């Protein structure tokens, strides 16, 4: 009997288990998670517990292979879409009011952004945050009824791939097949295993840029078309592409992120009207392919943008850095030009400069009424090299990496990866 152990009751692990039990899988299925079941999981525990980060998320299920990770790299386009359908069906199936799950599908790029930018348009299924807790309970009860065993509040601290054992502080749990779906909250654990077993990894790109901030009125015309707009442009011959990332409006705040002792920037929006500041912020993120040691390169660039222990802020019209949602000024040092960006990333800074200059053309009222926080950075964790058909490690074919642990970046892709692994287990 195949003894399947799933580490992480997140979107990926839960979809894998569901596919297995839906098809009368004859083996044993155990899911270990450091969080809690959906009945006891507190609202503040955003990342851990049944359905993982997806369970307490915004409940937006993106429905396009160019968004949220790279599933089609493994499966091809057609199969990826079919797997997405299965994940979305699962969310509808355990939804108390499935008819309320609606798909929004913007279809046309507005003319006024052309020819300077493309606007990424893709369908999104809206589950509704308010329903996720109920979905979680229904889904959990179904898996229990089908014989899945859950071990809650238990952190897996080590895995012995040679002896086929998952270790916690209290137990050693043997497995025949391991599905590793620890999500973002377990990213260091994945890295630790990759180093311990010297797992070969996929080459990664650099993801670096700035957080751009301006009064919302300048962008309103585009916000009316696409609330969380994603402007993009590509320089294929240079291995460089740029996109606006994580757009926040209405009550939009810039946040300082402390990573590896340095400060970089991100943004978030508040829902409560009391926080309204009529600002817009988004990352201008540049993906650069082909850089040797991308992690070290990014770390070095981030370091060069630190002054007096904080990141930097530049505004050509001398805007001052804004306040955080807690009312303090964003931790940053004002500089009087974009030169530090050139010093940090060299000629790549010209792509960001051009992006901003073209926004000044496309949004005529913008002028110089903007500021940038430098840098914004995404450190991509090493992605272990897997067999593309079943996402198993090339050196350990009974260990499958899924979800954010395999560079997925969203609910649909993570769930689809779990489903794919389960399909392959069922075939065998
Ligand atoms: C606030 C927020 C909002 C989001 N909104 C959206 C959205 O609207 N749409 C979208 O597509 N994506 C969204 N995301 C991203 C999405 O939630 C994730 O991409 C997705 O949940 C990843 O699924 P996963 O199964 O890989 O990991 P997760 O869902 O993160 O689950 C991982 C699980 O593993 C457990 N775990 C970790 N380490 C261990 C360990 N050592 N031992 C035992 N258990 C462990 C954790 O407790 C967790 O339950 C959001 C994320 C956050 C944080």
């Amino acid at each position: 009997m195949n003894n399947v152990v799933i580490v992480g009751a997140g979107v990926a692990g839960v979809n894998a288990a569901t596919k297995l039990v839906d098809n009368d899988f004859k083996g044993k299925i155990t899911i270990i998670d450091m969080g809690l079941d959906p009945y006891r999981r507190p609202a503040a525990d955003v990342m851990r517990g049944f359905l993982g980060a997806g369970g307490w998320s915004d409940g937006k299920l993106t429905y396009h292979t160019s968004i949220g990770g790279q599933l089609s790299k493994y499966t091809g386009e057609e199969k990826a879409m079919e797997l997405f359908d299965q994940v979305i069906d699962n969310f509808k199936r355990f939804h108390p009011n499935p008819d309320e799950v609606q798909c929004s599908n913007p279809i046309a790029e507005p003319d006024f952004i052309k020819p300077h930018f493309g606007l990424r348009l893709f369908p999104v299924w809206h589950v509704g945050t308010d329903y996720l807790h109920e979905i979680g309970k229904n889904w959990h009860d179904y898996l229990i009824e089908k014989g899945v065993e859950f071990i809650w509040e238990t952190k897996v601290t080590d895995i012995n791939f040679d002896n086929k054992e998952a270790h916690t502080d209290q137990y050693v749990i043997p497995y025949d097949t391991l599905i590793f779906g620890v999500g973002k909250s377990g990213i260091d654990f994945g890295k630790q295993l990759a180093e311990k077993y010297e797992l070969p990894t996929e080459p990664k790109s650099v993801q670096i840029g700035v957080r751009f901030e301006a009064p919302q009125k300048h962008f309103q015309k585009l916000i009316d078309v696409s609330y969380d707009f994603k402007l993009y442009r590509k320089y294929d011959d240079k291995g460089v592409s740029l996109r606006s990332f994580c757009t926040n409006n209405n009550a939009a705040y810039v946040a300082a992120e402390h990573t590896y002792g340095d400060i970089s920037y991100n943004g978030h929006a508040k829902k409560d009207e009391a926080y309204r500041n009529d600002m817009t912020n988004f990352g201008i993120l540049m993906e650069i392919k082909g850089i040797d040691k991308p992690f070290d390169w990014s770390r070095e660039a981030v370091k060069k943008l630190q002054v007096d222990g904080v990141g930097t802020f530049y505004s050509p019209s001398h805007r001052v850095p804004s306040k955080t949602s807690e009312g303090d000024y964003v931790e940053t040092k004002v500089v009087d030009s974009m030169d530090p960006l050139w010093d940090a990333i060299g000629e790549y800074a010209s792509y960001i400069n051009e992006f901003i200059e073209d926004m000044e053309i496309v949004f005529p009222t913008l002028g110089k009424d903007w500021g940038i926080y430098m840098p914004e950075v995404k450190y991509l964790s090493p992605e272990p090299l897997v067999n593309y058909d079943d996402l198993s490690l090339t050196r350990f074919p009974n260990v499958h990496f899924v979800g954010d642990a395999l560079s997925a970046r969203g609910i649909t892709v993570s769930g689809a990866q779990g489903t794919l692994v389960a399909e392959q287990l069922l075939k065998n």
Side-chain angles (χ1 to χ4, degrees):
M1 190 170 75
N2 192 346
N3 176 19
V4 178
V5 169
I6 302 178
V7 183
V11 182
V14 163
N15 275 280
T18 307
K19 182 76 194 181
L20 290 174
V21 300
D22 279 348
N23 289 279
D24 295 326
F25 180 67
K26 295 288 176 273
K28 180 171 178 234
I29 304 169
T30 309
I31 305 185
I32 312 168
D33 198 286
M34 57 188 183
L36 281 165
D37 65 70
Y39 292 94
R40 293 181 297 156
R41 179 176 172 176
D45 212 348
V46 179
M47 307 292 283
R48 305 178 310 171
F50 191 81
L51 278 180
W56 261 224
S57 70
D58 296 341
K60 293 194 209 93
L61 310 186
T62 53
Y63 190 56
H64 197 283
T65 50
S66 70
I67 303 290
Q70 21 179 354
L71 182 65
S72 51
K73 175 176 92 179
Y74 300 116
T75 63
E77 284 287 316
E78 202 179 319
K79 179 68 188 168
M81 294 311 289
E82 190 238 298
L83 290 164
F84 285 170
D85 284 334
Q86 296 192 45
V87 176
I88 290 158
D89 282 350
N90 278 337
F91 275 90
K92 285 187 193 162
R93 168 180 166 193
F94 297 109
H95 197 295
N97 297 312
D99 292 345
E100 289 187 26
V101 182
Q102 295 293 335
C103 186
S104 64
N105 188 7
I107 41 168
E109 286 182 335
D111 284 338
F112 73 89
I113 64 165
K114 297 173 191 168
H116 300 284
F117 296 102
L119 184 66
R120 204 163 258 170
L121 300 166
F122 53 92
V124 179
W125 288 90
H126 299 263
V127 172
T129 318
D130 304 345
Y131 284 119
L132 277 165
H133 299 204
E134 289 312 309
I135 293 172
K137 288 174 192 164
N138 295 340
W139 204 333
H140 163 267
D141 293 352
Y142 172 73
L143 293 177
I144 294 272
E145 185 193 304
K146 287 285 189 177
V148 174
E149 188 189 330
F150 286 93
I151 305 177
W152 295 113
E153 294 183 273
T154 303
K155 182 171 182 170
V156 175
T157 49
D158 194 14
I159 297 172
N160 189 323
F161 291 151
D162 297 310
N163 294 355
K164 302 182 192 166
E165 293 164 351
H167 292 245
T168 76
D169 284 346
Q170 290 150 315
Y171 320 103
V172 174
I173 300 163
Y175 64 82
D176 299 314
T177 300
L178 187 91
I179 300 181
F180 188 78
V182 295
K184 281 264 150 50
S185 51
I187 220 112
D188 287 343
F189 188 25
K191 197 159 170 268
Q192 175 195 320
L193 291 173
E195 281 165 9
K196 177 174 160 190
Y197 288 96
E198 296 178 358
L199 300 176
T201 53
E202 293 265 3
K204 287 266 135 180
S205 53
V206 164
Q207 304 256 348
I208 199 161
V210 300
R211 174 99 348 208
F212 183 93
E213 182 183 55
Q216 178 169 334
K217 59 185 179 193
H218 304 309
F219 291 91
Q220 196 58 49
K221 205 168 153 191
L222 183 58
I223 293 167
D224 290 342
V225 178
S226 173
Y227 184 79
D228 175 12
F229 59 81
K230 293 186 190 332
L231 294 168
Y232 73 91
R233 56 175 34 175
K234 274 184 168 180
Y235 302 83
D236 280 333
D237 52 329
K238 306 276 194 296
V240 173
S241 61
L242 285 94
R243 66 191 195 280
S244 62
F245 172 79
C246 176
T247 303
N248 300 293
N249 303 313
N250 297 335
Y253 291 90
V254 173
E257 285 185 339
H258 295 246
T259 317
Y260 301 116
D262 294 321
I263 286 190
S264 54
Y265 299 96
N266 205 331
H268 66 113
K270 289 278 196 185
K271 291 204 173 84
D272 192 333
E273 268 296 302
Y275 286 96
R276 177 178 274 277
N277 57 5
D278 294 318
M279 296 295 283
T280 287
N281 71 56
F282 49 85
I284 300 176
L285 262 193
M286 183 164 47
E287 175 170 319
I288 313 170
K289 293 201 172 116
I291 291 209
D292 189 32
K293 301 201 174 126
F295 180 78
D296 296 343
W297 191 94
S298 305
R299 283 287 305 277
E300 198 54 36
V302 170
K303 266 193 198 326
K304 286 185 184 155
L305 282 161
Q306 308 292 302
V307 177
D308 298 340
V310 292
T312 42
F313 174 83
Y314 167 64
S315 167
S317 57
H318 306 290
R319 291 186 66 87
V320 286
S322 56
K323 288 190 172 171
T324 66
S325 52
E326 284 77 44
D328 306 314
Y329 283 103
V330 176
E331 287 174 272
T332 191
K333 177 89 182 174
V334 176
V335 291
D336 56 13
S337 72
M338 270 173 77
D339 288 354
L341 193 63
W342 257 269
D343 295 343
I345 61 174
E347 282 305 307
Y348 289 113
S350 63
Y351 294 102
I352 292 178
N353 196 34
E354 222 172 89
F355 196 97
I356 297 174
E357 282 175 357
D358 285 352
M359 286 199 303
E360 290 172 358
I361 298 169
V362 168
F363 305 101
T365 60
L366 175 63
K368 300 291 176 197
D369 193 13
W370 52 266
I372 48 174
Y373 299 81
M374 305 180 281
E376 174 147 344
V377 67
K378 306 292 159 211
Y379 291 115
L380 298 183
S381 57
E383 178 183 334
L385 196 61
V386 293
N387 296 305
Y388 280 18
D389 56 342
D390 66 355
L391 312 185
S392 63
L393 295 180
T394 47
R395 284 184 34 221
F396 300 96
N398 63 333
V399 176
H400 306 260
F401 270 54
V402 288
D404 283 357
L406 191 66
S407 301
R409 289 188 305 270
I411 296 171
T412 344
V413 176
S414 298
Q417 289 184 355
T419 308
L420 175 69
V421 169
E423 280 185 358
Q424 294 303 318
L425 293 181
L426 287 162
K427 271 191 199 163
N428 299 332

